[in-house]
Amino acid sequence: MRTRQPGRFTPIAGTLIAATLIAGTSMLAGCSSPSVTSTTDSAPVEGTVGGEITVFAAASLRAPFTELGARFHVEHPGTSIEFSFAGSSDLAAQLIAGAPADVFASADTNNMIKVADAGLVAGDPTDFATNTLTIVTAPGNPDNVTSFADLANPDVLTVICAPQVPCGAATASVESATGTDIPAVSEESSVTDVLGKVTSGQADAGLVYVTDAAGAGAAVTAVPFEESSGAVNTYPIATSSTTDNPDTARAFTEFVTGPVGRDVLAGAGFATP
């Protein structure tokens, strides 16, 4: 058994990914409390769709949003999208501090409410996906983790998200509901950082979203647990009230919440709200 490391909180800045999509890209298979609408087919966007937009999106959306960005460009060749993927709490803080973005997609409603309360959301956010937690271990589950309660064992080096991050808030909710206290060796600023600690061998187990576990494939073993159903995260998306390109920002938001977005998100393991 490896030597247990002292607990630590290791924030990692969000990664900025330029996803400027050129022609020929192949098709890839809101305020006291803002009102949130359900995902529905959207009416055609009016105005001119073109130019560049910046999309701030939760780290767990990296794969499906990258694909949706490529598909959006095929439908609107005169557009380009720059994505910034990070923990939702980090992104919300950046927006409130003045960082420019045209669209915000959060992994929970609380961070969207913060941004809306700051007057930075145009209209009502729309819920477009849900996600739940699962345990991931090294391939083959060498520590024989079979339940959420097993993560209370200090000999199982477990990594979780920090409590201000949506996946961390969900973890805390399950801990409270089950009376389980996880002696985490690290609290990370995004769910992808938790996953990275496990895949790199720095941790025996971690709590991530089912979509992240699915995306990791054979690099991890997923261990579902029944209590996860009591902490479902809902993802809202909204256009920024400060965008200089509202037509394209709204078009991308509607693309995510429309049929193509639903198909891509479902393929990545997300459920509908």
Side-chain angles (χ1 to χ4, degrees), residues 148-162:
F148 187 81
D150 287 343
L151 301 183
N153 182 350
D155 289 332
V156 177
L157 307 183
T158 301
V159 181
I160 63 177
C161 290

Side-chain angles (χ1 to χ4, degrees), residues 41-72:
D41 291 340
S42 302
V45 177
E46 298 179 357
T48 302
V49 177
E52 181 176 328
I53 60 170
T54 297
V55 176
F56 276 25
S60 52
L61 292 167
R62 180 188 298 269
F65 267 40
T66 299
E67 179 175 348
L68 285 170
R71 292 194 180 203
F72 184 77

Side-chain angles (χ1 to χ4, degrees), residues 19 21-22 24-29 62-75 83 255 259-261 263-265 267:
L21 304 163
I22 62 176
T25 300
S26 299
M27 290 290 288
L28 306 173
R62 180 188 298 269
F65 267 40
T66 299
E67 179 175 348
L68 285 170
R71 292 194 180 203
F72 184 77
H73 174 77
V74 171
E75 187 167 314
F83 289 103
F255 193 71
V260 176
D263 285 348
V264 170
L265 288 159

Side-chain angles (χ1 to χ4, degrees), residues 105-140:
S106 174
D108 68 346
T109 57
N110 288 338
N111 283 293
M112 181 63 77
I113 288 172
K114 292 177 184 178
V115 174
D117 283 348
L120 299 174
V121 167
D124 293 331
T126 301
D127 291 342
F128 67 94
T130 63
N131 217 343
T132 54
L133 295 174
T134 190
I135 300 165
V136 289
T137 71

Side-chain angles (χ1 to χ4, degrees), residues 229-250:
S229 62
V232 177
N233 277 22
T234 298
Y235 289 57
I237 189 170
T239 302
S240 170
S241 62
T242 63
T243 178
D244 293 327
N245 193 350
D247 293 327
T248 302
R250 184 159 61 94

